[in-house]
Amino acid sequence: MKILKFGGTSVGNAQRIKDVAKLICDGTPKIVVLSAMSGTTNSLVEISDYLYKKNEEGATELISRLLTKYLRTIDELYSTEAYKLQAKEAINVNFNHIRSFVKEVFTPFEEREILSKGELLSSYMVHYYLLETGIKSALIPALDYMRVNETGEPDSAFIKDKLLNLLKENEGADMYITQGYICRNAKGEVDNLGRGGSDYTASLVGAAVRASEIQIWTDIDGMHNNDPRIVKNTSPVRKLNFSEAAELAYFGAKILHPTCIQPAKLNNIPVRLLNTMQPDAPGTTISHETEKAKIKAVAAKDNITAIKIKSGRMLLVAGFLRKVFEVFEKHRTPIDLVTTSEVGVSVTIDNDSHLDSIVNELKKFGAVTVDRNMMIVCVVGDIKWENVGFESKIIDAVKDIPVRMISYGGSNYNVSLLIRASDKEKALQSLSDHLFNNK
């Protein structure tokens, strides 16, 4: 069985929902994972913000505006009054639930309940539309099988057991519709897998059912070799190794959620990135195959802060790095890049919410320097150290750009450069010209 995940733009209006229905209905059963309609999650976040601020009027106005959008979509989507009525009833139930929080004490628990509504709304609309067109659709609620444990990691055994039972209960359906992003936590409360988590849902579902393929449908033709919003003459990458794709997703390629790769990789399930606007385009296939000695793509990660700790006491002192890393662990702040010398260590972080506390503690070990407004440029491919010449090509491409840090050797698939955010466009274009456009 194949797993097909559709992002928010793919179900962004009535016509696109109709297009998705045509695309998935080819006579073979599938599990379809749906995101919220584009713009919905942002609206739900804004509604929650109003409720945190006790602004009932602002929240109520935004709820009404969002409901109007859905009712208009329903009128455009269905051709029969019976299915319009069923869809509107399901949508109204969910919006009434959102309204019930307007006069309540508002906490993160209620916020997670509200944020879950986007995926529920889109799945109801697609489910009823398929039924109207004669497709035997079964709605499989993600909240009945998708669960994370006490540490926030997916409970794989639970997911597999519950999902397989739900599929068995609905055996014989033409299509199985479920929600991405949402789940329950170890306490049984409504929770989520984080922004972009619908990709993760698709991969976890694929692993649970031993899918033959996982398809991630968006509004772009696969993963490009650079950011098409910034760089001229980018092109889709047709094949990626799982490790290459993971590096690109982590370091800024927005088309794929970083956590999506691991379940598919562990279960050897190929992942295809496809375009709902151009369904015949080949897209990008991610698998265990590696194209030898080839640079595939460049990605960029913004909002990076660099921290340098310099200390003459570091020379030949065992345990220095451990003490430094324990400071970041204490403040639950992941590190992206690390470079060391005999008298110092530089690291980068993408979350500076605890920066002041981190710096204060690091000053116990040496002089601390902080560089803000930085970014990481990541060059990905089969870049093993035996493959001579790649490093020089990369460095030559940025010879006119100040580079704060270089990280190479931690992975066979990645060379990372830390530069100023103001040099982003120049660096990405130059790397494309040198690595892909033969300039």
Side-chain angles (χ1 to χ4, degrees):
M1 184 178 287
K2 292 182 180 180
I3 314 301
L4 279 64
K5 175 263 176 180
F6 291 91
T9 55
S10 298
V11 291
N13 55 45
Q15 184 56 52
R16 289 189 176 176
I17 290 174
K18 292 178 181 179
D19 292 341
V20 165
K22 290 178 184 176
L23 194 155
I24 64 178
C25 296
D26 62 0
T28 60
K30 303 173 185 69
I31 299 176
V32 178
V33 178
L34 297 174
S35 296
M37 285 179 65
S38 53
T40 297
T41 301
N42 287 339
S43 294
L44 295 174
V45 168
E46 193 175 354
I47 290 167
S48 299
D49 189 47
Y50 276 124
L51 293 175
Y52 275 122
K53 291 179 171 63
K54 313 279 186 205
N55 186 341
E56 296 180 7
E57 183 179 349
T60 300
E61 181 180 338
L62 195 54
I63 292 167
S64 297
R65 196 185 311 161
L66 188 60
L67 174 59
T68 299
K69 172 185 174 180
Y70 274 89
L71 294 177
R72 185 167 56 246
T73 303
I74 287 171
D75 285 332
E76 295 170 359
L77 181 60
Y78 302 97
S79 57
T80 63
E81 289 302 319
Y83 279 102
K84 281 185 183 180
L85 186 63
Q86 287 188 71
K88 286 181 178 179
E89 184 177 337
I91 267 60
N92 280 320
V93 166
N94 281 276
F95 273 92
N96 288 337
H97 191 203
I98 295 173
R99 286 196 189 93
S100 72
F101 297 119
V102 171
K103 295 184 180 181
E104 300 288 335
V105 175
F106 199 74
T107 70
F109 172 82
E110 284 78 23
E111 180 183 22
R112 291 192 295 268
E113 288 268 0
I114 287 178
L115 294 183
S116 72
K117 298 304 180 184
E119 281 69 22
L120 292 169
L121 294 169
S122 62
S123 61
Y124 278 121
M125 289 199 302
V126 171
H127 170 63
Y128 286 126
Y129 179 72
L130 290 173
L131 291 176
E132 185 184 55
T133 58
I135 301 299
K136 189 178 179 183
S137 173
L139 196 57
I140 307 295
L143 296 178
D144 287 354
Y145 68 86
M146 188 59 65
R147 188 174 76 173
V148 295
N149 58 26
E150 293 83 355
T151 62
E153 293 298 318
D155 187 340
S156 299
F158 179 93
I159 294 168
K160 181 177 181 179
D161 179 60
K162 295 297 182 182
L163 178 57
L164 291 179
N165 283 336
L166 287 167
L167 294 175
K168 188 174 182 179
E169 289 172 10
N170 292 275
E171 194 171 1
D174 299 324
M175 205 67 57
Y176 300 92
I177 305 298
T178 192
Q179 302 86 24
Y181 175 66
I182 63 176
C183 65
R184 291 192 185 275
N185 59 31
K187 297 178 182 178
E189 300 165 340
V190 174
D191 212 320
N192 60 69
L193 299 172
R195 278 296 183 107
S198 292
D199 291 354
Y200 201 12
T201 299
S203 193
L204 291 167
V205 167
V209 302
R210 301 294 187 195
S212 59
E213 184 175 270
I214 298 166
Q215 297 179 1
I216 308 294
W217 290 83
T218 65
D219 57 354
I220 188 169
D221 179 19
M223 189 177 287
H224 279 231
N225 59 10
N226 211 323
D227 190 338
R229 298 167 300 180
I230 298 173
V231 177
K232 300 175 183 176
N233 301 320
T234 65
S235 59
V237 181
R238 296 308 178 196
K239 292 182 180 180
L240 284 170
N241 177 278
F242 278 119
S243 297
E244 293 169 340
E247 297 276 9
L248 288 168
Y250 181 77
F251 284 105
K254 303 298 184 186
I255 191 173
L256 189 65
H257 194 268
T259 54
C260 169
I261 296 299
Q262 194 65 9
K265 178 181 179 180
L266 291 175
N267 292 276
N268 194 24
I269 303 170
V271 177
R272 295 183 66 202
L273 310 180
L274 298 163
N275 184 0
T276 49
M277 314 307 164
Q278 299 176 15
D280 295 329
T284 300
T285 299
I286 304 168
S287 69
H288 280 295
E289 293 183 15
T290 299
E291 291 185 279
K292 300 295 184 183
K294 185 175 181 180
I295 293 179
K296 294 295 189 65
V298 176
K301 191 173 186 180
D302 299 316
N303 303 314
I304 299 297
T305 300
I307 305 169
K308 181 178 180 180
I309 309 101
K310 183 178 179 181
S311 173
R313 293 175 294 161
M314 179 182 175
L315 182 63
L316 300 178
V317 176
F320 182 89
L321 287 177
R322 174 180 57 79
K323 292 176 182 177
V324 168
F325 291 145
E326 282 176 347
V327 173
F328 292 92
E329 181 183 6
K330 174 183 175 181
H331 293 285
R332 301 181 67 82
T333 301
I335 292 171
D336 287 319
L337 304 183
V338 180
T339 60
T340 64
S341 72
E342 290 184 340
V343 293
V345 56
S346 290
V347 303
T348 68
I349 59 174
D350 62 4
N351 178 359
D352 63 1
S353 57
H354 301 292
L355 181 61
D356 291 341
S357 299
I358 289 170
V359 169
N360 284 335
E361 292 195 41
L362 291 176
K363 285 179 178 178
K364 299 174 185 176
F365 310 127
V368 180
T369 305
V370 176
D371 293 314
R372 297 176 180 267
N373 300 318
M374 308 296 285
M375 60 163 296
I376 294 170
V377 177
C378 176
V379 181
V380 167
D382 181 31
I383 316 178
K384 298 183 181 71
W385 67 273
E386 305 99 317
N387 296 333
V388 177
F390 288 149
E391 304 90 336
S392 61
K393 284 185 179 180
I394 294 166
I395 298 303
D396 187 53
V398 295
K399 63 184 179 182
D400 297 323
I401 298 169
V403 177
R404 168 70 174 76
M405 288 171 59
I406 300 175
S407 178
Y408 175 48
S411 162
N412 289 329
Y413 300 97
N414 160 10
V415 175
S416 293
L417 311 171
L418 181 70
I419 65 173
R420 293 178 303 209
S422 57
D423 289 322
K424 177 178 181 177
E425 184 174 346
K426 182 179 179 181
L428 294 184
Q429 187 64 60
S430 183
L431 284 164
S432 266
D433 290 342
H434 281 72
L435 301 178
F436 309 126
N437 300 333
N438 298 316
K439 290 187 179 180

